[in-house]
Amino acid sequence: MKNSIELRQERAELIGKADSMLNLAKDETRDFTNDEQVSYDGMMENIDKLANDISVVERQEKLNAEIASNPVSLETQNVSDSKEVRDYSFIDAAKAATSGRVEGLVREMDQEARNENRNQEFKGIAIPYSVLESRAAVNTALTAGSAPTNVLSFVEQLSNASILIDAGANFYSGVSADQKIPVIAGVTTGFYSEAGDDSSAATLGGTVTGSTLSPNVAISGVEVSAASMVQNSSVEGAFRNSIAKSIMSKLENQLLSAANIAGGPESFFADATAGGTTFDASAITDLAAAQATLYGNGVEMNSNIAVLLNPNAYSDLMAAAGADFTPGYLDMVSRRVATMPYYVSSNVGNDAGSLQALARALVIDMDSVHMALFGGLDMLVDPYTNAAFGGTRLITTALVDGLAVQAGRRVKIVEAS
């Protein structure tokens, strides 16, 4: 394998070529051709692979230098204390953002994030995508006195906080540019008479369109005290988990709102096909009818269809099952209704006005839902807002987006009154 300098030079050349290709398409106000798209995707894969290779080689080079400067027996050397091989800590990043002293692994990862995402504007401590996907080593030996270790990556916690991903939505992380989602619809096939009569030829059709995932800025704040900045695994895990939940909750609040909310992604609940205005005793019937509508719109029987309910719709569903229950329609053990898995969230059809207390339901083909986390995170510190109480506010910025393609693949039930 090449050394780190050679690998960085090779990666820089690929980044330059990819940037030139992207700028050419922008200047000509067009999308990539098929050949250009294949070439660009190939370069992106090689760039990501080289980044991983560089990380491995540089880490080994630093370990080699450490051994050379302080020779010890390899049998007794404990490299787990080396700053370079220590697991990245959000708490360390928060301390650096608070003090302004960016050192060691936090500084290295900050530089890596800026190199990975040159189009992303970082104003504080940059946290690269590679850190968000990493896992801590699990302590399998159960050594006496050892501290527990958080093994969930940030991306895992982001996914765990989402009912859409849990229901089967497509989720992309580490995205470095707009993500085009192609949509092919209306394709027809026909037979042609062997007699060669042109009038017997079937009329063929089909369209190719698409939707694009683009970065939307999501900002979350965490109030911290001096005591909470002391490094330990429980605080680290809680810190990551709180940020992930906050970001995902806000994203799904936008995507599932009863009407579009300014400042973020458009709601795909808002433009879903209307499927009814009541959801009480007829709840199960309404859901089955919505399912039938999807099949009528071309959704396949083996598609990943799910039911999303707000708490009021869930309550009505349970009441309907108790009052007039048809065996087989509702299975509370496997959490399925009319053969479809159901999920409950207050974000479904959320409405800040007087209609918030009414039932909302969405029957949707989850294969049509796409969500993305672009690049890494940006961590800033606000030392002034809570200064009088001895506290500090940490501001974390993430770039996210979500959409659902083909409106015919979702049906909403909105109780009118």
Side-chain angles (χ1 to χ4, degrees), residues 131-155:
V131 166
L132 304 181
E133 280 281 57
S134 65
R135 292 169 176 261
V138 181
N139 177 27
T140 57
L142 299 179
T143 308
S146 62
T149 303
N150 173 51
V151 297
L152 285 179
S153 74
F154 181 80
V155 171

Side-chain angles (χ1 to χ4, degrees), residues 103-185:
E103 301 172 336
L105 190 59
V106 173
R107 181 178 181 179
E108 292 178 20
M109 294 297 99
D110 177 88
Q111 293 173 343
E112 180 176 322
R114 296 175 192 274
N115 289 332
E116 284 181 351
N117 306 280
R118 295 184 181 274
N119 294 327
Q120 186 171 347
E121 182 181 358
F122 293 101
K123 297 180 180 178
I125 302 298
I127 303 176
Y129 160 71
S130 57
V131 166
L132 304 181
E133 280 281 57
S134 65
R135 292 169 176 261
V138 181
N139 177 27
T140 57
L142 299 179
T143 308
S146 62
T149 303
N150 173 51
V151 297
L152 285 179
S153 74
F154 181 80
V155 171
E156 283 178 312
Q157 290 176 315
L158 203 65
S159 298
N160 291 342
S162 168
I163 67 158
L164 292 176
I165 297 175
D166 190 29
N170 301 285
F171 180 64
Y172 316 97
S173 58
V175 181
S176 58
D178 287 3
Q179 189 85 1
K180 188 69 175 286
I181 309 297
V183 178
I184 301 175

